[in-house]
């Protein structure tokens, strides 16, 4: 029997070594796998390259990982936020490397990494600082910039429901980078609010097929403000059985 | 004489037709949503994977999993949907959005946009989805004050700040005027009441073309 569920957060992040590239899902707090990040901090791996849309908010989650001095480089699109003081201080002190990527190019580079694409041309960023040193080409009269894929050793993502085969559905705008990062890592770890039996997720509504997911960790108490008011959620097979 | 931020937002909202797929940038452009007439069906897109975005929820009904690009809690209208980031940016980069409204530090005489980075020493650069919107939306509208806090014109012959996109702006809405970026130059469309074209030109660092029929 194939069972990708793992019993503990420690088991979920096992194998993340010093120097690893780790994708972390989320857009601000939505979709950020806080418990997996805490486990990564506890694990102690250092010299990490982190791929995330942001560079940490407040003092918890990704910001705590940065504050613990575990991150060599951040690849992201929007590090500067009202509460990004941890990253700001490290950056100004020259203690962290930043690769700034336009958000759509970040998403597409991750997608390309998972989809086996060698590189792609995009019009985004042409003529700007963020295209400096990159190959360009005029395609159908329009200038484009060559962007390379991003792959990772691990992806830590947050979904809403999963099954032991690793099929996932997400919740609202917490989906964001999860489905892309799931494809682009050698080992993808998903924390989910609920683990259901195979077949209970509506196959028409599965967002991330289990082939992309290697470990599933149930974190039932994760923050879900307002969820009690919801009716049927996508992929909730229980509502389709009758 | 100058338009308030809400009056600017109302002016932009007037130009957004029914059925348009629209992305409102963070900051000033977000105000436009408050001025869209209730009867007009407009699809608001949020880069973090929401189409059919509704207004802020009542206090106490915020959902941490449903936020806009500025990380503020929002709602979903009936018929709205969620999708991942690659699909969201396909909508933006792929020319599917009819309109985006962006804030700006500077717009040049040829429609270059600078809105992501001052380039100042110690400044933390952050770009987000600005470059994708700038090159991807069918119409790129900029909404900004005509002058900086220190009184410099934000409409300039050439941008001095790092660029977001080249020649990408179609129309500029300021607290003084609405200006189209045309092939032959910056064409004034309308001005606040009581402002003459000559005065507007004095207040603007780039050359302007007088309103047609004025």
């Amino acid at each position: 029997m194939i069972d990708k569920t793992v019993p503990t957060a420690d088991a979920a992040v096992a194998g993340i070594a010093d120097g690893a590239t780790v994708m972390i899902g989320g857009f601000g707090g939505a979709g950020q796998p806080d418990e997996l990040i805490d486990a990564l901090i506890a694990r102690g791996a250092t010299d990490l390259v982190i791929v995330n849309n942001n560079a940490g908010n407040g003092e918890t989650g990704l910001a705590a990982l940065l504050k613990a001095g575990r991150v060599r480089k951040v690849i992201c699109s929007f590090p500067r936020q009202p509460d990004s003081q941890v990253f700001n201080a490290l950056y100004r002190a020259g203690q962290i490397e930043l690769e700034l990527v336009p958000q759509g190019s970040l998403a597409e580079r991750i997608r390309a990494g998972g989809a086996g694409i060698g590189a792609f041309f995009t019009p985004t960023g042409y003529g700007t600082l963020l295209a400096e040193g990159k190959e360009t080409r005029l395609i159908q009269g329009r200038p484009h910039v060559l962007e390379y894929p991003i792959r990772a050793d691990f992806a830590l993502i947050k979904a809403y429901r999963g099954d032991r085969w690793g099929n996932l559905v997400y919740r609202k705008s917490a989906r964001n980078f999860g489905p892309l990062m799931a494809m682009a890592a050698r080992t993808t770890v998903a924390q989910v609010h609920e683990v259901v039996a195979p077949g209970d997720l509506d196959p028409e509504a599965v967002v991330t097929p289990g082939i992309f997911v290697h470990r599933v960790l149930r974190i039932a108490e994760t923050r879900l403000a307002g969820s009690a008011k919801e009716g049927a959620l996508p992929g909730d097979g229980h509502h389709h059985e009758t | 004489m100058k338009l308030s931020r809400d009056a600017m937002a109302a002016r932009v909202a007037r130009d957004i037709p029914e059925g348009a797929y629209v992305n409102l940038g963070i900051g000033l452009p977000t105000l436009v949503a408050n001025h869209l007439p209730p009867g007009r069906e407009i699809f608001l897109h949020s880069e973090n994977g929401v189409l059919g975005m509704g207004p802020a929820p009542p206090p106490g009904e915020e959902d941490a999993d449903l936020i806009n690009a500025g990380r503020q809690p929002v709602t979903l209208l009936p018929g709205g949907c969620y999708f991942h980031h690659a699909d969201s940016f396909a909508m933006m980069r792929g020319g599917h959005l009819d309109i985006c409204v962006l804030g700006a530090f500077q717009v040049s005489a040829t429609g270059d946009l600078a809105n992501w980075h001052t380039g100042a020493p110690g400044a933390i650069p952050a770009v987000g989805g600005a470059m994708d919107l700038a090159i991807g939306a069918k119409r790129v509208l900029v909404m900004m004050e005509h002058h900086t806090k220190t009184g410099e014109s934000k409409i300039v012959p050439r941008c001095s700040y790092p660029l977001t996109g080249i020649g990408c702006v179609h129309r500029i809405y300021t607290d003084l005027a609405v200006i189209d970026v045309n092939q032959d130059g910056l064409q004034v469309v309308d001005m606040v009441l009581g402002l003459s074209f000559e005065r507007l030109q004095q207040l603007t660092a780039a050359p302007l073309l007088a309103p047609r029929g004025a």
Side-chain angles (χ1 to χ4, degrees):
Chain A
M1 187 179 96
I2 298 303
D3 186 2
K4 298 182 181 181
T5 63
V6 291
T8 63
D10 289 345
V13 299
I16 302 184
D18 290 357
T21 296
V22 182
M23 293 178 174
I24 299 180
F27 181 97
Q32 179 168 269
D34 290 317
E35 287 77 5
L36 291 177
I37 298 170
D38 288 346
L40 176 58
I41 295 170
R43 182 173 166 75
T46 190
D47 198 32
L48 301 172
V49 175
I50 297 295
V51 183
N52 182 260
N53 186 58
N54 307 103
N57 300 109
E59 304 282 335
T60 60
L62 179 51
L65 185 69
L66 265 60
K67 196 169 187 172
R70 308 285 172 70
V71 181
R72 173 172 66 80
K73 176 179 176 180
V74 174
I75 302 174
C76 76
S77 88
F78 210 83
R80 182 187 67 231
Q81 309 227 301
D83 56 355
S84 61
Q85 62 271 12
V86 173
F87 173 82
N88 297 4
L90 289 167
Y91 181 75
R92 291 192 173 116
Q95 289 169 352
I96 197 159
E97 197 182 328
L98 170 66
E99 180 178 343
L100 192 70
V101 185
Q103 195 172 162
S105 300
L106 180 66
E108 195 65 15
R109 287 177 64 187
I110 297 167
R111 200 197 70 80
I117 301 295
F120 59 91
F121 280 103
T122 174
T124 301
Y126 176 81
T128 74
L129 284 178
L130 299 188
E132 271 184 2
K134 293 180 179 172
E135 206 174 319
T136 60
R137 186 180 295 184
L138 204 61
I139 299 172
Q140 293 180 326
R142 192 173 195 199
H144 287 68
V145 181
L146 185 66
E147 295 280 5
Y148 286 90
I150 307 176
R151 297 187 183 90
D153 299 301
F154 282 81
L156 308 181
I157 63 171
K158 178 174 165 181
Y160 185 61
R161 284 198 177 94
D163 60 28
R164 63 178 173 81
W165 282 11
N167 296 304
L168 302 175
V169 296
Y170 299 81
R171 190 167 176 277
K172 304 188 177 183
S173 66
R175 182 182 306 192
N176 57 67
F177 284 91
L180 309 175
M181 291 179 170
M183 298 193 299
R186 203 171 296 137
T187 301
T188 291
V189 186
Q191 70 170 69
V192 299
H193 175 67
E194 188 184 358
V195 174
V196 300
D200 278 0
L201 296 176
D202 177 357
E204 297 286 0
V206 166
V207 176
T208 294
I211 189 171
F212 298 126
V213 179
H214 307 92
R215 300 175 190 168
V216 175
L217 175 70
R218 179 170 169 269
I219 301 283
E221 292 76 27
T222 197
R223 177 199 58 229
L224 277 170
S227 63
K229 298 185 192 72
E230 291 303 311
L233 284 151
D236 185 349
H238 295 297
H239 296 268
H240 300 280
E241 281 170 2
T242 48
Chain B
M1 180 169 75
K2 284 183 182 176
L3 296 185
S4 68
R5 290 161 65 87
D6 272 310
M8 288 169 67
R11 178 64 188 85
V12 175
R14 249 172 60 191
D15 290 350
I16 299 181
E18 174 147 276
Y21 288 91
V22 180
N23 183 294
L24 302 175
I26 56 181
L28 191 54
T30 305
L31 291 180
V32 173
N34 302 338
H35 297 275
L36 297 171
R40 200 186 292 171
E41 278 203 321
I42 288 164
F43 305 98
L44 292 183
H45 169 266
S46 190
E47 68 190 21
N48 54 318
V50 186
L51 196 57
M53 182 170 60
E61 292 187 27
E62 297 89 353
D63 183 336
D65 284 341
L66 183 47
I67 58 175
N68 64 15
R71 296 195 292 151
Q72 299 159 315
V74 292
T75 51
L76 189 75
L77 299 178
C81 59
Y82 306 115
F83 34 86
H84 62 60
H85 251 77
D87 282 352
S88 186
F89 280 78
M91 294 174 195
M92 297 157 77
R93 193 195 307 105
H96 305 283
L97 290 177
D98 296 298
I99 294 170
C100 76
V101 185
L102 295 170
F105 298 142
Q106 289 175 327
V107 178
S108 84
T110 55
D112 294 351
L113 171 67
N115 79 345
W116 69 281
H117 185 29
T118 61
I124 309 284
V127 64
M131 289 185 180
D132 301 281
L133 284 170
I135 60 89
K138 288 180 193 150
R139 271 178 73 74
V140 176
L141 312 182
V142 161
M143 182 181 173
M144 64 181 187
E145 265 94 34
H146 209 87
H147 297 98
T148 65
K149 290 198 177 77
T150 51
E152 287 119 24
S153 172
K154 295 172 74 168
I155 299 173
V156 291
R158 283 176 64 97
C159 294
S160 57
Y161 289 130
L163 293 184
T164 307
I166 297 175
C168 58
V169 177
H170 295 91
R171 178 173 273 196
I172 309 165
Y173 296 79
T174 78
D175 46 357
L176 296 180
V178 178
I179 299 168
D180 275 341
V181 183
N182 287 348
Q183 287 285 347
D184 46 349
L186 296 174
Q187 173 69 57
V188 177
V189 176
D190 58 36
M191 296 175 287
V192 293
L193 222 56
L195 182 69
S196 70
F197 173 72
E198 291 68 28
R199 182 67 186 135
L200 179 66
Q201 179 63 82
Q202 285 170 6
L203 292 166
T204 308
L208 302 174
L209 301 168
R212 297 212 169 98

